[in-house]
């Protein structure tokens, strides 16, 4: 690659060629980042030398963007499929860039296509909107629209792009399919057996699939999140058998039928799952992320050895497997990234030894962090702050102190739930002390502190204690100094 080079690749999803220009480099050899400027090119062929004088940067001039460019750094080598079209002077300097944009810009081009194909009346209403609300929850409609008569009334909010509703009713379906700006739909109720999202411009759909037998996704869909275990017979009808879809599951490895060409999979909130046979029909998977916020367990991790096209494998806070279970490099010939944070120390040692040569040769980038010994695991089975241990943003003593506060509060609350209010005040008071001394609690850590307390109160209530959890949490809010 040289500064000024024009490259193009064919996007299966967009069914056209996209192009970019290399505008510079940063860093030393082996760790260099390439400055990439995406070009305003969506054609049936790559750009030729006679096109170069008319090339211009791709500008995001749709929705709320005001002409921002896709110009930033991309790490690693250029992906397969890019072809060199020629070289011309860089359209823009490629030094001192602040963004990291990677080697793909498809989502931006898709968004531009959606905008340009939308009725001018909707675009004008969006641009001129006084109400700039982009997200709407069903529960908020009575307060926002006291005289609500139907989904047509939502035209009052022309910038809506995200909806959080209960059921995909025929009325909601008609509204979503009439408004190409609605890109995200989250459904938390019990749905009808058949869900048909075709005809909409939805990009992301999240739902509880209990009782659902079939789902039809539109061509625009790039994310399907199932928040519970799908029915055994659930079939998802997606373009190209899920080739362009990112599937997100929650604490289960049951991939619905119809997604044999799936390439990207996330399984979150894992407390314990068995991977045996999970991927036998899904050999096209290229990227996988398995994670839990606290401690999760994996059984039969060796099942990923059938994924011969797997390029990126990541795990977070997962245990229960040995080093012998992890496939060696020859079993995963396409692997480029192996990133595991929070794993058994024994397994980490074995994996490091297995992948030492591949990492040294640059074939696989290996990152193993927070390797935990059996004693640590035993001590942290009930520790919502376990991930604080080893976090560079948290003083080392604070992770241990947070666990002490949690355990003391839990023991006292279970023994004397009638004293819950005083115990909650003490709990917050202890974290206030930590904040005064170390000043490390940001928004994320605050949410984790509150979440741990909410979990304790919920456990006590489930055990029979007469507690008003919401009132207690609200009282704590006024006491927090962080």
């Amino acid at each position: 690659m040289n500064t000024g080079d024009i490259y193009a690749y064919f996007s299966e999803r967009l069914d056209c060629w996209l192009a970019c220009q290399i505008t510079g480099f940063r860093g030393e050899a082996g760790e260099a980042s390439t400055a990439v400027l995406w070009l305003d090119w969506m054609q049936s062929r790559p750009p030729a030398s006679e096109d170069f004088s008319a090339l211009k940067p791709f500008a995001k001039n749709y929705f709320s963007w005001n002409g921002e460019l896709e110009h930033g750094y991309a790490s690693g080598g250029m992906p397969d499929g890019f072809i060199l079209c020629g070289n011309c002077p860089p359209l823009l300097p490629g030094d001192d860039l602040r963004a990291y944009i990677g080697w793909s810009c498809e989502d931006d081009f898709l968004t531009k296509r959606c905008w340009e194909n939308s009725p001018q009346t909707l675009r004008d209403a969006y641009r001129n909107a006084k109400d700039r609300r982009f997200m709407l929850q069903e529960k908020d409609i009575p307060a926002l629209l006291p005289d609500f008569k139907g989904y047509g009334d939502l035209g009052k909010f022309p910038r809506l792009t995200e909806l959080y509703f209960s059921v995909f009713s025929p009325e909601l379906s008609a509204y979503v399919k009439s408004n190409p700006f609605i890109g995200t739909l989250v459904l938390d109720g019990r749905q009808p057996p058949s869900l048909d999202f075709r005809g909409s411009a939805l990009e992301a759909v999240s739902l509880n699939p209990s009782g659902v037998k079939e789902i039809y996704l539109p061509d625009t869909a790039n994310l399907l999140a199932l928040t519970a275990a799908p029915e055994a017979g659930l079939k998802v009808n997606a373009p190209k058998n899920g080739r362009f879809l990112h599937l997100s599951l929650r604490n289960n490895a049951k991939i619905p039928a119809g997604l044999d060409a799936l390439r990207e999979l996330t399984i979150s909130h894992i407390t314990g799952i068995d991977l045996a046979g999970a991927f036998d029909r899904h050999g096209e998977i290229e990227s996988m992320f398995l994670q839990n916020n606290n401690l999760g367990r994996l059984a039969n991790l060796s099942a990923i050895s059938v994924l011969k096209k797997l390029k990126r494998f990541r795990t977070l806070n997962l245990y229960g497997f040995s080093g012998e279970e992890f496939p060696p490099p020859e079993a995963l010939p396409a692997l480029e990234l192996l990133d595991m944070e929070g794993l058994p120390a024994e397994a980490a040692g074995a994996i490091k030894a297995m992948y030492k040569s591949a990492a040294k040769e640059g074939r696989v980038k290996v990152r193993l962090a927070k390797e935990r010994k059996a004693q640590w695991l035993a001590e942290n089975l009930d520790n919502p702050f376990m991930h604080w241990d080893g976090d560079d943003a948290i003083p080392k003593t604070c992770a241990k102190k947070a666990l002490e506060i949690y355990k003391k509060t839990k023991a006292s609350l279970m023994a004397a739930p009638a004293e819950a209010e005083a115990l909650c005040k003490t709990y917050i008071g202890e974290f206030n002390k930590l904040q005064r001394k170390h000043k490390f609690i940001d928004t994320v850590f605050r949410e984790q502190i509150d979440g741990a307390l909410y979990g304790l109160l919920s456990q006590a209530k489930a055990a029979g204690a007469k507690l008003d959890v919401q009132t207690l949490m609200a009282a704590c809010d006024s006491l927090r100094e962080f």
Side-chain angles (χ1 to χ4, degrees):
M1 285 187 291
N2 297 296
T3 298
D5 282 351
I6 303 288
Y7 282 89
Y9 81 96
F10 184 76
S11 168
E12 293 180 75
R13 195 168 170 208
L14 290 161
D15 193 31
C16 65
W17 287 85
L18 306 180
C20 64
Q21 183 177 45
I22 307 304
T23 61
F25 300 91
R26 185 179 72 172
E28 302 296 329
E31 294 294 333
S33 293
T34 306
V36 179
L37 173 67
W38 284 95
L39 305 174
D40 192 7
W41 185 271
M42 295 176 68
Q43 304 288 339
S44 59
R45 61 174 178 81
S49 56
E50 57 267 26
D51 301 310
F52 289 178
S53 61
L55 289 175
K56 58 182 180 180
F58 172 78
K60 295 192 283 188
N61 50 15
Y62 43 76
F63 290 101
S64 300
W65 296 97
N66 292 302
E68 290 82 353
L69 305 181
E70 279 292 358
H71 192 197
Y73 292 111
S75 300
M78 184 178 290
D80 295 337
F82 280 66
I83 64 169
L84 178 62
C85 303
N87 186 287
C88 66
L91 299 183
L92 292 172
D95 53 353
D96 197 27
L97 303 177
R98 297 184 180 183
Y100 280 83
I101 61 173
W103 288 106
S104 177
C105 197
E106 288 184 349
D107 287 347
D108 292 306
F109 282 96
L110 281 166
T111 303
K112 178 182 179 181
R113 178 181 286 180
C114 172
W115 174 262
E116 293 179 344
N117 291 339
S118 300
Q120 187 65 47
T121 52
L122 291 180
R123 286 186 276 170
D124 290 343
Y126 187 98
R127 291 289 194 186
N128 299 324
K130 293 182 179 179
D131 189 302
R132 304 203 165 196
R133 186 185 315 276
F134 71 89
M135 182 268 286
L136 178 68
Q137 298 188 55
E138 186 175 21
K139 65 181 180 63
D140 293 334
I141 289 180
L144 294 171
L145 299 169
D147 299 322
F148 181 72
K149 296 180 177 62
Y151 289 104
D153 292 352
L154 298 185
K156 180 180 178 180
F157 312 118
R159 289 202 171 198
L160 286 181
T161 56
E162 298 181 15
L163 298 180
Y164 294 76
F165 278 59
S166 178
V167 179
F168 195 59
S169 64
E171 296 78 16
L172 178 59
S173 172
Y175 170 71
V176 169
K177 293 175 183 179
S178 70
N179 188 340
F181 293 169
I182 304 299
T184 297
L185 179 63
V186 178
L187 303 167
D188 60 7
R190 186 173 181 83
Q191 306 305 317
S194 179
L195 291 171
D196 192 347
F197 301 107
R198 291 173 298 184
S200 74
L202 288 171
E203 298 174 2
V205 177
S206 175
L207 60 94
N208 184 329
S210 301
V212 179
K213 299 298 184 182
E214 57 182 356
I215 298 173
Y216 294 88
L217 294 175
D219 293 342
T220 50
N222 57 38
L223 171 65
L224 175 64
L226 303 180
T227 58
E231 301 289 331
L234 174 63
K235 182 177 181 180
V236 175
N237 300 277
K240 304 288 186 180
N241 294 323
R243 186 171 182 80
F244 309 125
L245 191 68
H246 177 182
L247 177 66
S248 177
L249 302 175
R250 187 182 179 104
N251 195 37
N252 79 88
K254 191 186 299 181
I255 299 175
L259 300 179
D260 293 352
L262 185 72
R263 289 195 284 192
E264 189 169 359
L265 174 68
T266 293
I267 306 179
S268 65
H269 299 81
I270 295 173
T271 55
I273 61 172
D274 190 334
L275 300 181
F279 313 119
D280 291 348
R281 294 187 299 106
H282 300 92
E284 299 296 311
I285 291 178
E286 297 179 0
S287 179
M288 187 183 302
F289 181 31
L290 311 176
Q291 66 96 8
N292 188 29
N293 291 334
N294 294 314
L295 294 180
R297 298 181 65 84
L298 285 178
N300 290 304
L301 180 57
S302 59
I304 67 170
S305 62
V306 303
L307 302 176
K308 303 306 179 184
K309 296 183 179 181
L310 186 66
K311 295 180 180 179
R312 297 170 294 278
F313 182 73
R314 299 171 57 214
T315 67
L316 177 65
N317 298 329
L318 296 177
Y319 304 87
F321 57 90
S322 66
E324 294 179 354
E325 289 184 66
F326 199 86
E330 56 270 22
L332 299 174
L335 194 66
E336 299 172 353
L337 173 66
L338 175 58
D339 186 345
M340 305 178 75
E341 179 176 319
L343 72 161
E346 176 276 327
I351 294 170
K352 281 181 182 177
M354 253 193 295
Y355 280 81
K356 183 177 180 180
S357 295
K360 187 175 181 180
E361 295 167 7
R363 289 186 287 120
V364 183
K365 183 176 181 179
V366 178
R367 174 181 174 269
L368 304 179
K370 297 185 180 180
E371 304 157 16
R372 307 302 192 184
K373 295 183 178 180
Q375 181 180 350
W376 185 93
L377 291 172
E379 292 173 349
N380 285 275
L381 286 175
D382 181 28
N383 179 10
F385 302 106
M386 52 85 78
H387 47 285
W388 284 23
D389 186 9
D391 192 318
D392 293 337
I394 300 176
K396 291 182 179 180
T397 57
C398 292
K400 182 178 180 181
K401 182 61 178 178
L403 177 57
E404 292 175 359
I405 297 169
Y406 175 80
K407 285 185 173 181
K408 183 177 180 179
T409 303
K410 180 177 182 179
S412 300
L413 185 61
M414 295 304 171
E419 300 176 13
E421 184 174 356
L423 293 172
C424 288
K425 290 180 179 179
T426 300
Y427 175 92
I428 295 298
E430 291 297 321
F431 281 102
N432 283 340
K433 292 178 183 177
L434 287 181
Q435 176 67 353
R436 289 186 211 119
K437 184 175 181 180
H438 299 285
K439 294 182 170 48
F440 72 98
I441 301 177
D442 61 12
T443 301
V444 174
F445 299 145
R446 183 187 72 223
E447 290 176 353
Q448 292 167 355
I449 292 167
D450 288 350
L453 180 59
Y454 183 86
L456 287 180
L457 294 172
S458 298
Q459 289 177 37
K461 185 174 181 179
K466 295 181 179 180
L467 299 177
D468 186 333
V469 177
Q470 297 299 336
T471 298
L472 288 169
M473 293 300 298
C476 289
D477 283 345
S478 63
L479 298 174
R480 279 196 282 104
E481 298 176 8
F482 47 88

